[in-house]
Short mmCIF file of all heavy atoms in Angstrom, two decimals:
data_model
loop_
_atom_site.label_atom_id
_atom_site.label_comp_id
_atom_site.label_asym_id
_atom_site.label_seq_id
_atom_site.Cartn_x
_atom_site.Cartn_y
_atom_site.Cartn_z
N LEU A 1382 37.58 -59.08 303.21
CA LEU A 1382 36.59 -58.66 304.20
C LEU A 1382 36.56 -59.70 305.29
O LEU A 1382 36.36 -60.88 305.03
CB LEU A 1382 35.20 -58.53 303.56
CG LEU A 1382 35.07 -57.46 302.48
CD1 LEU A 1382 33.66 -57.48 301.94
CD2 LEU A 1382 35.37 -56.10 303.03
N GLN A 1383 36.75 -59.30 306.50
CA GLN A 1383 36.66 -60.22 307.61
C GLN A 1383 35.23 -60.66 307.79
O GLN A 1383 34.29 -59.97 307.43
CB GLN A 1383 37.17 -59.56 308.90
CG GLN A 1383 38.64 -59.15 308.84
CD GLN A 1383 39.56 -60.35 308.58
OE1 GLN A 1383 39.38 -61.40 309.18
NE2 GLN A 1383 40.51 -60.20 307.69
N THR A 1384 35.08 -61.82 308.39
CA THR A 1384 33.74 -62.34 308.67
C THR A 1384 32.95 -61.35 309.49
O THR A 1384 31.74 -61.27 309.41
CB THR A 1384 33.82 -63.69 309.41
OG1 THR A 1384 34.59 -64.57 308.61
CG2 THR A 1384 32.46 -64.28 309.62
N ALA A 1385 33.64 -60.53 310.27
CA ALA A 1385 32.96 -59.54 311.09
C ALA A 1385 32.14 -58.56 310.25
O ALA A 1385 31.24 -57.91 310.75
CB ALA A 1385 33.97 -58.77 311.93
N ALA A 1386 32.46 -58.47 308.97
CA ALA A 1386 31.69 -57.60 308.09
C ALA A 1386 30.25 -58.07 307.99
O ALA A 1386 29.35 -57.30 307.69
CB ALA A 1386 32.31 -57.53 306.71
N LEU A 1387 30.05 -59.37 308.22
CA LEU A 1387 28.69 -59.87 308.28
C LEU A 1387 28.25 -59.77 309.73
O LEU A 1387 28.43 -60.67 310.52
CB LEU A 1387 28.64 -61.33 307.81
CG LEU A 1387 29.00 -61.53 306.35
CD1 LEU A 1387 28.95 -63.01 306.00
CD2 LEU A 1387 28.04 -60.77 305.45
N VAL A 1388 27.71 -58.62 310.07
CA VAL A 1388 27.41 -58.35 311.47
C VAL A 1388 26.45 -59.38 312.04
O VAL A 1388 26.61 -59.84 313.14
CB VAL A 1388 26.82 -56.93 311.61
CG1 VAL A 1388 26.25 -56.72 312.99
CG2 VAL A 1388 27.92 -55.91 311.35
N ALA A 1389 25.46 -59.74 311.27
CA ALA A 1389 24.52 -60.73 311.79
C ALA A 1389 24.09 -61.65 310.66
O ALA A 1389 23.44 -61.23 309.73
CB ALA A 1389 23.30 -60.05 312.39
N PHE A 1390 24.52 -62.87 310.76
CA PHE A 1390 24.06 -63.90 309.82
C PHE A 1390 23.09 -64.73 310.63
O PHE A 1390 23.49 -65.61 311.36
CB PHE A 1390 25.23 -64.72 309.30
CG PHE A 1390 24.86 -65.83 308.38
CD1 PHE A 1390 23.98 -65.61 307.35
CD2 PHE A 1390 25.37 -67.10 308.55
CE1 PHE A 1390 23.66 -66.64 306.48
CE2 PHE A 1390 25.04 -68.13 307.70
CZ PHE A 1390 24.18 -67.90 306.66
N ALA A 1391 21.83 -64.39 310.55
CA ALA A 1391 20.86 -64.97 311.49
C ALA A 1391 19.76 -65.71 310.76
O ALA A 1391 19.38 -65.32 309.66
CB ALA A 1391 20.25 -63.87 312.35
N VAL A 1392 19.29 -66.75 311.39
CA VAL A 1392 18.10 -67.43 310.92
C VAL A 1392 16.94 -66.89 311.73
O VAL A 1392 16.92 -67.02 312.95
CB VAL A 1392 18.20 -68.95 311.13
CG1 VAL A 1392 16.90 -69.62 310.74
CG2 VAL A 1392 19.33 -69.52 310.29
N VAL A 1393 16.00 -66.24 311.08
CA VAL A 1393 14.81 -65.76 311.77
C VAL A 1393 13.80 -66.89 311.71
O VAL A 1393 13.27 -67.22 310.66
CB VAL A 1393 14.26 -64.49 311.10
CG1 VAL A 1393 13.01 -64.03 311.82
CG2 VAL A 1393 15.30 -63.40 311.12
N LEU A 1394 13.58 -67.49 312.81
CA LEU A 1394 12.79 -68.71 312.85
C LEU A 1394 11.32 -68.43 312.71
O LEU A 1394 10.77 -67.59 313.41
CB LEU A 1394 13.07 -69.44 314.17
CG LEU A 1394 14.58 -69.66 314.40
CD1 LEU A 1394 14.81 -70.31 315.72
CD2 LEU A 1394 15.14 -70.51 313.29
N GLY A 1395 10.68 -69.12 311.79
CA GLY A 1395 9.28 -68.88 311.52
C GLY A 1395 8.40 -69.35 312.66
O GLY A 1395 8.68 -70.33 313.31
N LEU A 1396 7.34 -68.63 312.89
CA LEU A 1396 6.42 -68.96 313.96
C LEU A 1396 5.43 -70.02 313.53
O LEU A 1396 4.71 -69.85 312.57
CB LEU A 1396 5.66 -67.69 314.38
CG LEU A 1396 4.61 -67.85 315.48
CD1 LEU A 1396 5.28 -68.30 316.77
CD2 LEU A 1396 3.91 -66.52 315.71
N PHE A 1397 5.44 -71.13 314.23
CA PHE A 1397 4.46 -72.18 313.97
C PHE A 1397 4.12 -72.77 315.32
O PHE A 1397 4.70 -73.75 315.74
CB PHE A 1397 5.01 -73.24 313.04
CG PHE A 1397 3.95 -73.94 312.27
CD1 PHE A 1397 3.66 -73.57 310.98
CD2 PHE A 1397 3.20 -74.94 312.86
CE1 PHE A 1397 2.66 -74.23 310.28
CE2 PHE A 1397 2.19 -75.58 312.17
CZ PHE A 1397 1.94 -75.22 310.87
N THR A 1398 3.23 -72.12 316.04
CA THR A 1398 2.98 -72.47 317.42
C THR A 1398 1.81 -73.42 317.55
O THR A 1398 1.18 -73.81 316.57
CB THR A 1398 2.65 -71.20 318.24
OG1 THR A 1398 1.38 -70.72 317.80
CG2 THR A 1398 3.70 -70.13 318.02
N VAL A 1399 1.49 -73.76 318.81
CA VAL A 1399 0.36 -74.63 319.07
C VAL A 1399 -0.95 -74.03 318.59
O VAL A 1399 -1.94 -74.72 318.44
CB VAL A 1399 0.24 -74.97 320.58
CG1 VAL A 1399 1.37 -75.83 321.02
CG2 VAL A 1399 0.18 -73.68 321.41
N GLN A 1400 -0.97 -72.74 318.33
CA GLN A 1400 -2.18 -72.11 317.83
C GLN A 1400 -2.59 -72.69 316.49
O GLN A 1400 -3.77 -72.68 316.15
CB GLN A 1400 -1.96 -70.60 317.68
CG GLN A 1400 -1.72 -69.89 319.01
CD GLN A 1400 -1.35 -68.44 318.80
OE1 GLN A 1400 -0.72 -68.10 317.80
NE2 GLN A 1400 -1.69 -67.60 319.74
N GLY A 1401 -1.64 -73.19 315.73
CA GLY A 1401 -1.99 -73.71 314.42
C GLY A 1401 -1.91 -75.21 314.29
O GLY A 1401 -2.27 -75.76 313.26
N THR A 1402 -1.49 -75.90 315.34
CA THR A 1402 -1.24 -77.33 315.19
C THR A 1402 -2.52 -78.15 315.13
O THR A 1402 -2.57 -79.14 314.41
CB THR A 1402 -0.36 -77.86 316.33
OG1 THR A 1402 -1.01 -77.57 317.57
CG2 THR A 1402 0.99 -77.22 316.31
N TYR A 1403 -3.52 -77.78 315.90
CA TYR A 1403 -4.72 -78.62 315.93
C TYR A 1403 -5.37 -78.74 314.57
O TYR A 1403 -5.89 -79.78 314.20
CB TYR A 1403 -5.72 -78.07 316.96
CG TYR A 1403 -5.24 -78.23 318.37
CD1 TYR A 1403 -4.85 -77.13 319.10
CD2 TYR A 1403 -5.15 -79.50 318.95
CE1 TYR A 1403 -4.40 -77.27 320.39
CE2 TYR A 1403 -4.69 -79.65 320.24
CZ TYR A 1403 -4.32 -78.53 320.97
OH TYR A 1403 -3.85 -78.66 322.25
N ALA A 1404 -5.34 -77.68 313.79
CA ALA A 1404 -5.95 -77.72 312.46
C ALA A 1404 -5.21 -78.69 311.55
O ALA A 1404 -5.77 -79.15 310.57
CB ALA A 1404 -5.94 -76.32 311.86
N LEU A 1405 -3.98 -78.98 311.89
CA LEU A 1405 -3.20 -79.87 311.02
C LEU A 1405 -3.32 -81.33 311.41
O LEU A 1405 -2.87 -82.21 310.71
CB LEU A 1405 -1.71 -79.46 311.10
CG LEU A 1405 -1.40 -78.10 310.49
CD1 LEU A 1405 0.07 -77.78 310.68
CD2 LEU A 1405 -1.75 -78.07 309.02
N TRP A 1406 -3.89 -81.59 312.56
CA TRP A 1406 -4.04 -82.98 312.98
C TRP A 1406 -5.33 -83.52 312.39
O TRP A 1406 -6.37 -83.52 313.02
CB TRP A 1406 -4.06 -83.06 314.51
CG TRP A 1406 -2.76 -82.64 315.13
CD1 TRP A 1406 -1.61 -82.29 314.50
CD2 TRP A 1406 -2.49 -82.53 316.52
NE1 TRP A 1406 -0.65 -81.95 315.38
CE2 TRP A 1406 -1.15 -82.09 316.65
CE3 TRP A 1406 -3.23 -82.75 317.67
CZ2 TRP A 1406 -0.54 -81.87 317.87
CZ3 TRP A 1406 -2.62 -82.53 318.91
CH2 TRP A 1406 -1.30 -82.11 319.00
N ASN A 1407 -5.29 -84.00 311.14
CA ASN A 1407 -6.50 -84.37 310.44
C ASN A 1407 -6.84 -85.85 310.54
O ASN A 1407 -7.78 -86.29 309.94
CB ASN A 1407 -6.46 -84.04 308.95
CG ASN A 1407 -5.29 -83.22 308.54
OD1 ASN A 1407 -4.33 -83.12 309.24
ND2 ASN A 1407 -5.36 -82.59 307.41
N ALA A 1408 -6.06 -86.64 311.23
CA ALA A 1408 -6.39 -88.06 311.35
C ALA A 1408 -7.65 -88.22 312.20
O ALA A 1408 -7.84 -87.53 313.19
CB ALA A 1408 -5.24 -88.83 311.98
N VAL A 1409 -8.53 -89.12 311.79
CA VAL A 1409 -9.78 -89.34 312.51
C VAL A 1409 -9.78 -90.76 313.08
O VAL A 1409 -9.47 -91.72 312.37
CB VAL A 1409 -10.99 -89.15 311.58
CG1 VAL A 1409 -12.28 -89.45 312.31
CG2 VAL A 1409 -11.01 -87.75 311.01
N ALA A 1410 -10.12 -90.90 314.34
CA ALA A 1410 -10.17 -92.22 314.96
C ALA A 1410 -11.18 -92.18 316.10
O ALA A 1410 -11.37 -91.16 316.75
CB ALA A 1410 -8.80 -92.64 315.48
N SER A 1411 -11.86 -93.31 316.34
CA SER A 1411 -12.80 -93.38 317.46
C SER A 1411 -12.00 -93.66 318.73
O SER A 1411 -10.93 -94.25 318.69
CB SER A 1411 -13.83 -94.49 317.23
OG SER A 1411 -13.15 -95.74 317.08
N ALA A 1412 -12.56 -93.20 319.86
CA ALA A 1412 -11.87 -93.40 321.13
C ALA A 1412 -12.86 -93.71 322.21
O ALA A 1412 -13.98 -93.19 322.22
CB ALA A 1412 -11.08 -92.14 321.48
N THR A 1413 -12.48 -94.59 323.12
CA THR A 1413 -13.34 -94.88 324.27
C THR A 1413 -13.17 -93.74 325.28
O THR A 1413 -12.16 -93.02 325.25
CB THR A 1413 -12.91 -96.20 324.92
OG1 THR A 1413 -11.52 -96.11 325.27
CG2 THR A 1413 -13.10 -97.36 323.95
N PRO A 1414 -14.16 -93.55 326.16
CA PRO A 1414 -14.06 -92.47 327.14
C PRO A 1414 -12.79 -92.61 327.96
O PRO A 1414 -12.36 -93.70 328.32
CB PRO A 1414 -15.30 -92.66 328.01
CG PRO A 1414 -16.26 -93.38 327.14
CD PRO A 1414 -15.44 -94.27 326.26
N GLY A 1415 -12.18 -91.49 328.27
CA GLY A 1415 -10.94 -91.51 329.04
C GLY A 1415 -10.34 -90.13 329.09
O GLY A 1415 -11.03 -89.14 328.88
N THR A 1416 -9.07 -90.06 329.34
CA THR A 1416 -8.39 -88.78 329.46
C THR A 1416 -7.80 -88.39 328.11
O THR A 1416 -7.16 -89.20 327.44
CB THR A 1416 -7.26 -88.87 330.50
OG1 THR A 1416 -7.83 -89.26 331.74
CG2 THR A 1416 -6.56 -87.53 330.65
N ILE A 1417 -8.00 -87.14 327.73
CA ILE A 1417 -7.42 -86.60 326.49
C ILE A 1417 -6.29 -85.66 326.89
O ILE A 1417 -6.48 -84.75 327.69
CB ILE A 1417 -8.46 -85.87 325.65
CG1 ILE A 1417 -9.56 -86.83 325.22
CG2 ILE A 1417 -7.81 -85.21 324.45
CD1 ILE A 1417 -10.68 -86.18 324.47
N THR A 1418 -5.13 -85.91 326.35
CA THR A 1418 -3.97 -85.07 326.65
C THR A 1418 -3.47 -84.41 325.38
O THR A 1418 -3.31 -85.08 324.36
CB THR A 1418 -2.83 -85.92 327.25
OG1 THR A 1418 -3.32 -86.61 328.39
CG2 THR A 1418 -1.65 -85.06 327.65
N SER A 1419 -3.26 -83.11 325.43
CA SER A 1419 -2.75 -82.42 324.25
C SER A 1419 -1.25 -82.67 324.12
O SER A 1419 -0.57 -82.96 325.10
CB SER A 1419 -3.02 -80.91 324.36
OG SER A 1419 -2.34 -80.38 325.48
N ALA A 1420 -0.76 -82.55 322.91
CA ALA A 1420 0.66 -82.76 322.65
C ALA A 1420 1.28 -81.45 322.16
O ALA A 1420 0.59 -80.55 321.71
CB ALA A 1420 0.84 -83.85 321.60
N SER A 1421 2.59 -81.37 322.24
CA SER A 1421 3.28 -80.16 321.80
C SER A 1421 3.95 -80.40 320.45
O SER A 1421 4.44 -81.49 320.17
CB SER A 1421 4.32 -79.72 322.82
OG SER A 1421 5.35 -80.68 322.93
N PHE A 1422 3.93 -79.38 319.63
CA PHE A 1422 4.64 -79.37 318.36
C PHE A 1422 5.96 -78.66 318.65
O PHE A 1422 6.07 -77.46 318.55
CB PHE A 1422 3.81 -78.62 317.33
CG PHE A 1422 4.31 -78.72 315.91
CD1 PHE A 1422 3.49 -78.35 314.86
CD2 PHE A 1422 5.59 -79.16 315.62
CE1 PHE A 1422 3.94 -78.41 313.54
CE2 PHE A 1422 6.03 -79.25 314.31
CZ PHE A 1422 5.20 -78.86 313.26
N ASP A 1423 6.95 -79.42 319.03
CA ASP A 1423 8.21 -78.88 319.53
C ASP A 1423 9.33 -79.11 318.51
O ASP A 1423 9.66 -80.26 318.22
CB ASP A 1423 8.54 -79.53 320.87
CG ASP A 1423 9.78 -78.95 321.51
OD1 ASP A 1423 10.29 -77.93 321.02
OD2 ASP A 1423 10.27 -79.54 322.50
N THR A 1424 9.89 -78.02 318.00
CA THR A 1424 11.00 -78.12 317.06
C THR A 1424 12.20 -77.38 317.63
O THR A 1424 12.10 -76.22 318.01
CB THR A 1424 10.62 -77.50 315.70
OG1 THR A 1424 9.46 -78.17 315.20
CG2 THR A 1424 11.74 -77.64 314.70
N THR A 1425 13.32 -78.07 317.71
CA THR A 1425 14.54 -77.49 318.27
C THR A 1425 15.52 -77.19 317.16
O THR A 1425 15.64 -77.95 316.20
CB THR A 1425 15.18 -78.47 319.28
OG1 THR A 1425 14.23 -78.80 320.28
CG2 THR A 1425 16.41 -77.87 319.92
N LEU A 1426 16.23 -76.07 317.32
CA LEU A 1426 17.23 -75.69 316.33
C LEU A 1426 18.58 -75.49 317.00
O LEU A 1426 18.66 -74.96 318.10
CB LEU A 1426 16.79 -74.41 315.61
CG LEU A 1426 15.45 -74.63 314.91
CD1 LEU A 1426 14.42 -73.74 315.57
CD2 LEU A 1426 15.54 -74.39 313.45
N GLN A 1427 19.62 -75.92 316.29
CA GLN A 1427 20.98 -75.80 316.82
C GLN A 1427 21.89 -75.24 315.73
O GLN A 1427 21.92 -75.76 314.60
CB GLN A 1427 21.50 -77.16 317.28
CG GLN A 1427 22.91 -77.11 317.84
CD GLN A 1427 23.38 -78.47 318.32
OE1 GLN A 1427 23.20 -79.47 317.64
NE2 GLN A 1427 23.97 -78.51 319.50
N ALA A 1428 22.63 -74.19 316.05
CA ALA A 1428 23.59 -73.60 315.11
C ALA A 1428 24.76 -74.55 314.91
O ALA A 1428 25.32 -75.07 315.88
CB ALA A 1428 24.08 -72.26 315.63
N VAL A 1429 25.11 -74.81 313.67
CA VAL A 1429 26.15 -75.79 313.37
C VAL A 1429 27.51 -75.39 313.93
O VAL A 1429 28.21 -76.18 314.53
CB VAL A 1429 26.25 -76.00 311.84
CG1 VAL A 1429 27.51 -76.78 311.48
CG2 VAL A 1429 25.01 -76.76 311.35
N ASN A 1430 27.92 -74.14 313.75
CA ASN A 1430 29.28 -73.74 314.14
C ASN A 1430 29.46 -73.49 315.63
O ASN A 1430 30.56 -73.66 316.15
CB ASN A 1430 29.70 -72.49 313.37
CG ASN A 1430 29.91 -72.77 311.89
OD1 ASN A 1430 30.12 -73.92 311.51
ND2 ASN A 1430 29.83 -71.75 311.06
N THR A 1431 28.39 -73.08 316.32
CA THR A 1431 28.53 -72.71 317.74
C THR A 1431 27.87 -73.68 318.69
O THR A 1431 28.17 -73.67 319.89
CB THR A 1431 27.94 -71.32 317.98
OG1 THR A 1431 26.51 -71.35 317.73
CG2 THR A 1431 28.60 -70.27 317.08
N GLY A 1432 26.93 -74.48 318.22
CA GLY A 1432 26.22 -75.39 319.09
C GLY A 1432 25.09 -74.73 319.87
O GLY A 1432 24.41 -75.38 320.67
N THR A 1433 24.85 -73.45 319.65
CA THR A 1433 23.77 -72.73 320.33
C THR A 1433 22.44 -73.34 319.93
O THR A 1433 22.20 -73.61 318.75
CB THR A 1433 23.79 -71.24 319.95
OG1 THR A 1433 25.08 -70.70 320.25
CG2 THR A 1433 22.72 -70.47 320.70
#
Side-chain angles (χ1 to χ4, degrees):
L1382 296 178
Q1383 297 300 316
T1384 303
L1387 295 178
V1388 169
F1390 177 48
V1392 175
V1393 179
L1394 307 177
L1396 178 63
F1397 206 99
T1398 69
V1399 291
Q1400 294 173 330
T1402 57
Y1403 291 109
L1405 293 177
W1406 295 357
N1407 350 18
V1409 177
S1411 59
T1413 56
T1416 302
I1417 297 176
T1418 304
S1419 62
S1421 65
F1422 189 165
D1423 184 10
T1424 302
T1425 304
L1426 301 115
Q1427 180 178 45
V1429 168
N1430 291 339
T1431 64
T1433 304

